[in-house]
Amino acid sequence: MDSKKTVYPYIPNSAPDVQAEMMAEVGISDVMELYEEIPEAIRYQGALNLPEAIPDEQGIKRHIERILSKNKNCNEFSNFMGAGCAQHYVPAVCDEIASRGELLTTYGAETWADHGKYQIFFEYQSLMAELLDMSFLTVPCHCGGQASATGLRMACRITGRNKVLLPHTMNRQNLALVRNYMKMIDPDQEIKIELVACRSDTGMLDLEDLKSRLDQDTAAVYIENPTFLGIIETQGEEIGKLAKAAGAEFIVYTDPISLGVLEAPANYGATICVGDLHGLGLHLNFGGGQAGFIASHDDMRYITEFKELVDGMVETTVPGEQGYSVVLIERTHYAMRENGKEFTGTQNNLWTAPVAVYLSLMGPKGMEEIGHTIMTNAKYAAKKLAGIPGVSLRFPSVFFKEFVVNFDKTGKTVEEINQQLLSRQIFGGVDLSRDYPELGQSALYCVTETADKESIDRLAGALQAILN
């Protein structure tokens, strides 16, 4: 098919007469003249090996559905995977609001045409601040890993120091983001990253190792609570006191859906709180339903270091009327340009709407109930799996949503077990053997409010059949 004579309905300006008019306007006779700055030597020579174009909408829909039908998804399979992106129930109204055209179709879901979006941002910030028991919050950044990296950079700027302490069991994807960001954001300032050991018996932070690493160069002590392995870090208050005594910031990465049953990090000493919003009304979306948050107390030492926009509420000239708008923009690179402390690109602002809707629907009582449901389901699942011969729980510590299951005594690897679970339409736990070899053949199992007794019993039955 000759592409020069084909009008593709899904490629803008592919009509020949429209192309000709545009080329005449900019003074070229061939589209390739637009790429003259690219050296000939590095241009691809020849035609791409592409399938024949599908020009009609029905044909494209049929083609895409055939591709998508090959996926194994969580609607058809029982899912026990988490590790940073867990399956939670999304109320229908969250999708109804988020899919409105004025929100969904704007670049970065920004407030270029308001349609109430300034108020949505403000309500999102207010609800999250209440959940976190902190005073200041901005619109989201890309993900929890980005929030962690920026939070650590903020701590380095606030303290003027250049070393950060992270837990050995930290989420490996977030750790990779932190390492990359800390190295690239300011090439003139080398940030030292040290991993603090975690106790092999409880999985919690080793306080003696932490004390040995704290010094006058430490900008921040960072923990996850619950940890990446699901353990509730009961030493949070003591860790915060150690960080404060050393003049360091105390940063806590938390799962916001846990805060209906767990204490907010601010109340055990956190000066900066970070995390990911994915559990609050967002779908899995192949890992894309994520957005990071950063929060602090109402202190200008912290507020001036945030890189994202923040929205506030003010009285207008009309008595009793409230207005919403961006405030304190002078601290961002939008105002400071090349002198900005950090750069902010496209953000996940669309997710402010479903998160605000979700928190509004749930309220304090709803968040408490879902937290209890998750902990009850997870405890039941852990007990069922630990009752299988050769299977054991790796840590005795109290956990939330996720727990480590060890298969060393079964004679099978996690990879082998998960392959056989797939044949039974079950996604097993995340294999930890590569990133945490000291845990042996262990898997991280995730159980949320979406798992019922029937699905948990089916998992236990399938594992028993596979291992016997």
Side-chain angles (χ1 to χ4, degrees):
M1 186 180 291
D2 185 356
S3 62
K4 293 183 179 180
K5 297 180 180 179
T6 302
V7 178
Y8 296 98
Y10 303 105
I11 300 179
N13 304 318
S14 63
D17 55 339
V18 174
Q19 282 192 358
E21 185 178 351
M22 294 175 68
M23 288 191 294
E25 181 68 25
V26 296
I28 61 173
S29 57
D30 190 291
V31 171
M32 291 306 296
E33 291 181 52
L34 296 172
Y35 308 102
E36 62 183 3
E37 292 182 353
I38 301 175
E40 192 74 32
I42 64 173
R43 296 188 196 180
Y44 181 78
Q45 304 298 320
L48 293 174
N49 183 22
L50 298 175
E52 186 174 339
I54 304 173
D56 64 293
E57 182 176 329
Q58 177 179 283
I60 289 178
K61 185 174 184 292
R62 186 186 304 116
H63 175 68
I64 296 299
E65 286 176 345
R66 284 172 180 166
I67 294 174
L68 293 177
S69 68
K70 298 177 182 179
N71 291 328
K72 300 176 177 65
N73 62 70
C74 296
N75 293 325
E76 300 169 0
F77 283 47
S78 295
N79 178 34
F80 296 96
M81 298 179 70
C85 195
Q87 185 177 9
H88 291 281
Y89 180 72
V90 178
V93 68
C94 292
D95 291 335
E96 180 68 23
I97 299 300
S99 61
R100 288 179 63 90
E102 62 268 34
L103 302 180
L104 187 62
T105 60
T106 59
Y107 172 70
E110 262 294 356
T111 53
W112 313 125
D114 180 24
H115 296 296
K117 279 180 284 185
Y118 279 113
Q119 183 175 356
I120 290 174
F121 289 2
F122 175 81
E123 301 292 355
Y124 155 79
Q125 292 162 191
S126 301
L127 288 161
M128 281 297 296
E130 183 176 352
L131 182 67
L132 299 167
D133 232 351
M134 283 187 157
S135 306
F136 189 82
L137 204 82
T138 62
V139 295
C141 52
H142 290 285
C143 62
Q146 170 68 70
S148 298
T150 290
L152 290 164
R153 285 296 313 185
M154 288 169 59
C156 291
R157 293 195 296 266
I158 290 166
T159 62
R161 298 177 177 184
N162 67 342
K163 185 173 84 171
V164 296
L165 302 179
L166 315 175
H168 168 71
T169 57
M170 181 178 176
N171 182 319
R172 286 298 187 257
Q173 289 187 0
N174 288 353
L175 177 58
L177 283 168
V178 167
R179 281 178 166 154
N180 182 59
Y181 197 77
M182 300 297 264
K183 178 176 65 176
M184 298 304 296
I185 194 69
D186 187 356
D188 296 328
Q189 183 185 19
E190 180 185 0
I191 304 298
K192 300 175 184 176
I193 298 174
E194 293 186 10
L195 299 183
V196 180
C198 293
R199 294 180 54 176
S200 60
D201 55 345
T202 65
M204 297 185 196
L205 206 67
D206 186 327
L207 296 188
E208 294 305 313
D209 190 45
L210 173 63
K211 292 174 186 176
S212 70
R213 295 175 183 276
L214 280 167
D215 56 29
Q216 69 277 6
D217 293 328
T218 307
V221 176
Y222 170 106
I223 67 169
E224 297 169 317
N225 198 15
T227 71
F228 175 69
L229 301 181
I231 297 164
I232 297 174
E233 178 59 82
T234 59
Q235 306 172 125
E237 186 172 3
E238 189 173 355
I239 295 169
K241 289 178 179 178
L242 290 171
K244 183 177 180 180
E249 299 299 322
F250 181 34
I251 303 177
V252 178
Y253 183 102
T254 190
D255 182 347
I257 206 168
S258 72
L259 297 182
V261 290
L262 300 184
E263 186 62 86
N267 296 327
Y268 53 85
T271 55
I272 299 173
C273 185
V274 300
D276 200 293
L277 297 166
H278 83 271
L280 304 179
L282 305 183
H283 292 280
L284 290 174
N285 290 352
F286 297 92
Q290 296 180 296
F293 65 85
I294 309 173
S296 77
H297 296 293
D298 187 10
D299 185 332
M300 290 303 291
R301 288 194 312 125
Y302 297 93
I303 291 173
T304 55
E305 297 301 333
F306 279 78
K307 71 187 185 73
E308 265 75 40
L309 298 175
V310 63
D311 294 82
M313 180 176 69
V314 295
E315 293 184 355
T316 70
T317 56
V318 179
E321 183 182 82
Q322 304 293 336
Y324 302 89
S325 65
V326 173
V327 297
L328 299 173
I329 196 172
E330 64 274 6
R331 66 190 161 72
T332 69
H333 95 273
Y334 294 104
M336 300 173 70
R337 312 310 295 173
E338 68 274 10
N339 296 318
K341 296 170 183 176
E342 288 188 48
F343 173 78
T344 298
T346 305
Q347 295 165 251
N348 289 338
N349 293 332
L350 174 64
W351 300 140
T352 59
V355 170
V357 171
Y358 185 88
L359 291 176
S360 298
L361 280 174
M362 297 295 285
K365 187 63 177 177
M367 292 301 290
E368 180 183 356
E369 289 178 356
I370 198 168
H372 279 299
T373 300
I374 290 171
M375 292 193 78
T376 300
N377 288 356
K379 187 172 182 179
Y380 175 75
K383 184 177 180 180
K384 289 286 290 188
L385 300 192
I388 300 171
V391 178
S392 63
L393 298 185
R394 180 60 180 80
F395 299 105
S397 306
V398 179
F399 55 85
F400 180 84
K401 190 166 75 176
E402 294 176 277
F403 52 93
V404 179
V405 179
N406 182 264
F407 296 96
D408 283 346
K409 294 182 180 179
T410 66
K412 290 182 178 289
T413 65
V414 173
E415 183 178 4
E416 291 170 340
I417 293 167
N418 282 349
Q419 283 299 319
Q420 293 185 56
L421 285 174
L422 273 178
S423 67
R424 293 167 167 82
Q425 291 193 308
I426 298 172
F427 292 123
V430 173
D431 191 346
L432 298 174
S433 61
R434 183 182 67 177
D435 290 333
Y436 307 93
E438 68 275 13
L439 298 180
Q441 287 301 317
S442 292
L444 185 64
Y445 273 77
C446 179
V447 179
T448 71
E449 76 281 7
T450 63
D452 57 12
K453 182 178 182 298
E454 181 183 355
S455 64
I456 294 171
D457 289 345
R458 193 163 74 87
L459 167 67
L463 281 173
Q464 183 124 21
I466 290 168
L467 298 175
N468 289 340

